[in-house]
Amino acid sequence: MPSARWSPPYIYEATRRAAPLLYFAVAWPHLVPAAASLALLALENTALRRLHTASLFLHLAVISLLPWPWSIALAAAAVPLLHEAKKRDNPLPWYVHVSALIVGTLVAPALAPVLLYSAGEALYYYVKFARDKPVVEAGGRLKTVAGTPLTYKLKIRSGAPAVVELPDGRLVQVSGEVSVDVKAKFDVAGVYTPQLAFAYISPTKTVKLKRRVRHPPILVYPRARAAVEAGKMALAGSLEQVAEVRDYAPGDPLRLLHWKKMAKILKPVVKRLEGRAGSELRIAAVLYATSPKASDRVLEALASAVAAALTKAERVEVQYITLRGAGSLSVDRRSYAEAMEDLVSRAEALNVEAREARDYAGILPRQALPQADVIVGERALAAPLCRQDASCVLV
């Protein structure tokens, strides 16, 4: 006869009494992660809003402890929350997120939806940014003179939102097409094509791509060229004012003959021009300088001085000093442009540091300037050569 302890009624009663304990023992490991998940969900929208992304990754770790299929369902439901969290406060690039999720998915496969979302988002934005072809256009041909500020409008088009660094250092948000005012200044002549830096950033700040685009060419003319053109216009616009006429004397230049007056009185006479000096003006120029910029400024000053002198005198004698020696040119209105081209070709830049009133240990020629009405040169080199009986134009 079987023992009463192992009888079916006894076993049934014992099982019925132990069922709550067995259920609690089985469910307890799952109740803790579920409660923690609910608590984190509440905290993410209250106290942890400033650390939303970090708390959501902790939330995913808790979700991975739940049983299947609750874990994968909650992980998939957390994807939109993670996307919004990264838009708010994400500090890490995509590859950090993906690397962490790969490790997490190997341990808990329920995190696969989050891994697929992070990898897919990174791939989507990287392809979008890489395929974009930004365009930078100016309103027309850009040209200016060295040392002169240039203001112009620049059109920037981009197929994806980007932050663009302009040549002047400003940052501009571009989404589609924008038109911005740009200011630039170049001290040395040449053709400039500065680069614009495009920085593409995804809304979640996980994908960042940088690209550089060439600026439309900016043609910068030398100061000397602009000064020569201005001098030509000034000389062309200044009319001769005849103060009086006198009888022709042997040795008078034929260009001073007053042909209209001669036709009336039937004898040779020459004109005396109002405001013109009776003799040639003399300008001395030091045509070497410490840098290309300084050389350009010296030539600019020389071109302006010669043009101004030609409005007061029929002829100007330009005495110049170069590293190869000294020379002189006789310049009148007709030969002004040609003479200035010759002087520009003789100028040289030493590419040394400027030191006031130094001779650089004798590496420059020791050439005494001849008597001159005006002396033109760079201050660091020509200041010691200035005399009290001459006007000095030092740049």
Side-chain angles (χ1 to χ4, degrees):
M1 182 174 181
S3 173
R5 179 175 295 182
W6 299 106
S7 63
Y10 179 81
I11 295 175
Y12 171 79
E13 184 63 22
T15 303
R16 186 181 66 82
R17 291 182 179 181
L21 296 175
L22 292 174
Y23 176 78
F24 184 78
V26 173
W28 172 252
H30 300 154
L31 290 176
V32 173
S37 178
L38 292 176
L40 282 170
L41 182 61
L43 289 174
E44 287 159 9
N45 292 281
T46 55
L48 297 179
R49 291 179 66 89
R50 295 183 178 179
L51 301 172
H52 210 30
T53 302
S55 62
L56 262 172
F57 271 95
L58 179 61
H59 192 173
L60 291 172
V62 173
I63 288 175
S64 67
L65 299 177
L66 293 174
W68 191 275
W70 295 104
S71 57
I72 191 170
L74 290 177
V79 167
L81 296 177
L82 180 60
H83 182 77
E84 292 300 321
K86 289 195 294 185
K87 289 170 62 176
R88 183 182 304 173
D89 63 359
N90 171 57
L92 300 175
W94 67 270
Y95 49 83
V96 175
H97 291 178
V98 171
S99 299
L101 288 170
I102 288 176
V103 175
T105 303
L106 292 176
V107 177
L111 297 180
V114 186
L115 173 61
L116 293 176
Y117 149 73
S118 298
E121 180 210 19
L123 179 62
Y124 169 77
Y125 281 109
Y126 185 80
V127 172
K128 181 179 180 180
F129 295 159
R131 293 182 62 185
D132 184 45
K133 297 180 180 179
V135 177
V136 179
E137 297 178 344
R141 188 179 182 187
L142 300 178
K143 55 184 179 180
T144 185
V145 177
T148 302
L150 174 66
T151 302
Y152 59 96
K153 283 192 174 295
L154 197 64
K155 290 184 179 180
I156 305 174
R157 291 198 300 271
S158 176
V163 177
V164 182
E165 183 179 358
L166 300 177
D168 55 11
R170 290 182 298 146
L171 299 179
V172 176
Q173 295 279 350
V174 177
S175 181
E177 179 176 326
V178 298
S179 180
V180 294
D181 292 326
V182 181
K183 294 183 179 180
K185 183 180 178 181
F186 303 93
D187 288 331
V188 181
V191 179
Y192 293 86
T193 55
Q195 292 184 339
L196 278 71
F198 281 69
Y200 297 93
I201 304 176
S202 66
T204 58
K205 297 182 285 294
T206 55
V207 179
K208 298 180 181 180
L209 182 66
K210 293 185 178 181
R211 176 179 296 170
R212 293 187 177 274
V213 179
R214 285 289 181 183
H215 188 286
I218 302 175
L219 180 60
V220 181
Y221 292 104
R223 296 175 176 86
R225 176 176 175 179
V228 171
E229 294 298 324
K232 289 166 60 177
M233 294 179 61
L235 293 177
S238 61
L239 300 177
E240 292 183 339
Q241 300 294 332
V242 180
E244 60 182 10
V245 296
R246 60 174 176 81
D247 291 340
Y248 173 81
D252 287 337
L254 295 179
R255 66 178 182 277
L256 295 180
L257 290 173
H258 199 310
W259 297 100
K260 292 183 179 180
K261 191 71 172 179
M262 289 168 53
K264 292 181 180 180
I265 63 177
L266 300 178
K267 68 175 184 178
V269 292
V270 294
K271 52 192 175 184
R272 294 183 60 188
L273 302 179
E274 184 178 355
R276 297 293 180 87
S279 59
E280 289 185 341
L281 290 177
R282 293 167 296 181
I283 296 178
V286 180
L287 292 186
Y288 49 79
T290 57
S291 66
K293 175 183 175 181
S295 178
D296 192 19
R297 295 184 63 184
V298 168
L299 293 170
E300 177 190 29
L302 178 59
S304 300
V306 173
L310 286 175
T311 62
K312 300 296 182 182
E314 284 295 322
R315 189 173 294 273
V316 174
E317 182 184 0
V318 179
Q319 301 165 337
Y320 57 85
I321 297 177
T322 68
L323 293 179
R324 294 179 295 274
S328 64
L329 284 176
S330 183
V331 187
D332 57 20
R333 290 190 171 201
R334 294 182 179 179
S335 62
Y336 169 75
E338 182 180 353
M340 287 310 307
E341 289 182 4
D342 187 3
L343 293 171
V344 168
S345 67
R346 297 177 184 274
E348 294 180 87
L350 304 176
N351 295 315
V352 294
E353 182 181 356
R355 293 184 180 274
E356 195 73 19
R358 296 285 183 89
D359 189 24
Y360 295 95
I363 66 170
L364 304 182
R366 296 181 178 275
Q367 174 70 45
L369 284 177
Q371 293 295 325
D373 302 297
V374 180
I375 298 175
V376 180
E378 185 181 4
R379 181 178 299 276
L381 302 178
L385 305 178
C386 285
R387 296 187 298 266
Q388 293 183 354
D389 59 344
S391 297
C392 292
V393 181
L394 304 177
V395 298

